[in-house]
Amino acid sequence: MKILVIGPSWVGDMMMSQSLYRTLKAEHPDAVIDVMAPAWCRPLLSRMPEVNQALAMPLGHGALGIGERRRLGKMLRASHYDRAYVLPNSFKSALVPFFAGIKRRVGWRGEMRYGLLNDLRVLDKAAFPLMVERYVALGYDIPVASAAQLPQPLLWPKLQVEEQEKIETAAQFQLAATRPIIGFCPGAEFGPAKRWPHYHYATLAHQLIADGFQIVLFGSAKDRPTGEEIIAALPEEARGHCRNLAGETQLEQAVILLAQCRAVVSNDSGLMHIAAALDRPLVALYGPSSPDFTPPLARQARIIRLITGYHKVRKGDAEQGYHQSLIDIQPARVHQTLSELLAPQEVPCTS
């Protein structure tokens, strides 16, 4: 069976979509799964053993481009896909499989996609509270009525990174081999309201450096100023044990280095979901956004959140746009939670 998946366009969603690919391979072991997604997704898809190949979607997020989608669909006809799974809920995302003439086209109803999808499922959001459940439910030929009917445990995302890759990439960025790495992911795509304050990160970094760790800051180029603020807030003698790699790494390098981390502390972000898929001990810090829909999917993940509900706000009322609920999460609590996660492992002495 040849399967085409129209994948999501965000890091966290792409990570959770792996649960569908793992489910499809469990149901159809001989299936060949290709995923069409933005080109930047390739470093993630290449580390999912269930995926045969990543096909680049050349159109940007939000672009309709019916003519280009028709061209892509016609080009894919030669691949003779047996079925397609369309994960985004948009009308435009269902066009390529339709133009490709794929016999069975599966997805949630979304934006009035009658005709474009011919195995159209109607989503009961209350019955599938988690995004990962909604993805996995599409993988079964007989529609599933609720998450309670899904086989348990769900097959969570799981990226593959080789040990030699970790060693070589850490050496490439001249990370000290004498101190284990704690990764910090202090950025967030949708504004400062989702960010734990930089001064809290600095306080935690200082304590962890005193514990014998080194700190590595991950993120995109726009997260680099936040990383600089964290380093600037550290005592001068501690700064040499904190590296700001935000904006310096390609996504593939960030994945490898996150796999090398002893543990990760992260805001609600795409990197948080990558760390979870790498099965790193993870402390996830939530404020206005809610873990009720897209929590980190990992046995070693711990969530700290002081409020309930979902609050659609990108900028908080506090200084620098921070949200009070995240300001109220004290570094001492994060340090304690991290220490509990690391307790079975040997914690290094200060060097």
Side-chain angles (χ1 to χ4, degrees):
M1 182 189 298
K2 293 195 69 177
I3 295 173
L4 174 68
V5 177
I6 305 299
S9 299
W10 303 105
V11 173
D13 297 356
M14 178 55 69
M15 290 312 313
M16 285 177 282
S17 74
Q18 190 186 5
S19 289
L20 170 63
Y21 315 149
R22 295 189 68 191
T23 299
L24 288 171
K25 289 294 282 188
E27 290 291 296
H28 310 283
D30 296 329
V32 177
I33 302 172
D34 294 342
V35 180
M36 176 168 280
W40 62 259
C41 294
R42 189 179 299 275
L44 301 178
L45 292 168
S46 67
R47 296 184 179 279
M48 300 179 184
E50 306 79 20
V51 176
N52 173 58
Q53 66 174 328
L55 306 175
M57 164 54 76
L59 295 170
H61 182 70
L64 180 57
I66 291 180
E68 177 65 9
R69 293 177 195 272
R70 181 185 291 111
R71 185 192 69 80
L72 286 171
K74 289 183 177 180
M75 183 180 67
L76 290 175
R77 288 181 182 179
S79 297
H80 302 292
Y81 289 107
D82 298 291
R83 61 177 68 178
Y85 294 85
V86 180
L87 300 190
N89 288 324
S90 63
F91 169 84
K92 61 182 177 293
S93 62
L95 289 170
V96 169
F98 175 77
F99 289 132
I102 298 173
K103 184 175 181 181
R104 184 173 182 180
R105 305 181 299 277
V106 186
W108 297 110
R109 181 169 58 185
E111 293 180 350
M112 298 296 290
R113 303 190 290 185
Y114 298 103
L116 294 180
L117 300 179
N118 55 15
D119 184 347
L120 195 66
R121 316 276 175 97
V122 179
L123 176 62
D124 179 348
K125 293 183 178 180
F128 297 97
L130 297 179
M131 177 180 281
V132 67
E133 295 167 343
R134 298 174 188 183
Y135 285 164
V136 169
L138 294 175
Y140 294 96
D141 293 344
I142 299 175
V144 180
S146 72
Q149 296 179 2
L150 294 174
Q152 299 295 328
L154 296 182
L155 298 173
W156 282 347
K158 189 175 183 181
L159 297 179
Q160 290 188 337
V161 177
E162 299 298 327
E163 201 63 37
Q164 190 61 30
E165 290 181 293
K166 301 178 192 176
I167 296 169
E168 291 175 357
T169 307
Q172 179 183 346
F173 286 93
Q174 298 180 323
L175 299 177
T178 55
R179 283 178 171 245
I181 300 169
I182 302 292
F184 283 4
C185 305
E189 184 68 25
F190 293 111
K194 292 175 66 174
R195 297 177 188 160
W196 199 42
H198 71 278
Y199 46 82
H200 282 347
Y201 270 112
T203 300
L204 178 62
H206 188 203
Q207 179 62 65
L208 291 170
I209 290 167
D211 291 342
F213 294 99
Q214 61 179 313
I215 307 300
V216 176
L217 309 175
F218 296 96
S220 66
K222 68 180 182 180
D223 299 320
R224 189 163 186 83
T226 300
E228 295 301 322
E229 288 182 309
I230 293 170
I231 292 175
L234 284 170
E236 189 171 350
E237 67 274 10
R239 293 175 189 171
H241 299 297
C242 185
R243 283 285 304 280
N244 184 10
L245 294 185
E248 290 189 15
T249 58
Q250 301 295 321
L251 179 57
E252 180 150 7
Q253 294 169 320
V255 171
I256 296 169
L257 291 176
L258 283 168
Q260 177 74 335
C261 290
R262 177 70 64 86
V264 177
V265 179
S266 179
N267 303 333
D268 174 17
S269 67
L271 290 177
M272 176 196 74
H273 290 287
I274 290 175
L278 293 166
D279 200 26
R280 295 295 78 212
L282 169 67
V283 180
L285 307 171
Y286 279 79
S289 60
S290 172
D292 295 339
F293 183 44
T294 56
L297 303 174
R299 61 184 179 85
Q300 298 191 87
R302 301 291 182 271
I303 295 169
I304 299 179
R305 192 183 190 220
L306 303 182
I307 58 174
T308 59
Y310 174 71
H311 308 268
K312 193 173 183 179
V313 55
R314 293 195 176 193
K315 188 174 182 180
D317 294 331
E319 183 182 358
Q320 295 187 261
Y322 296 132
H323 196 270
Q324 191 61 47
S325 65
L326 280 162
I327 294 172
D328 290 341
I329 297 175
Q330 294 302 305
R333 177 172 178 182
V334 180
H335 184 265
Q336 179 183 348
T337 303
L338 195 58
S339 298
E340 291 168 357
L341 277 171
L342 294 172
Q345 308 178 39
E346 182 181 350
V347 178
C349 298
T350 305
S351 61

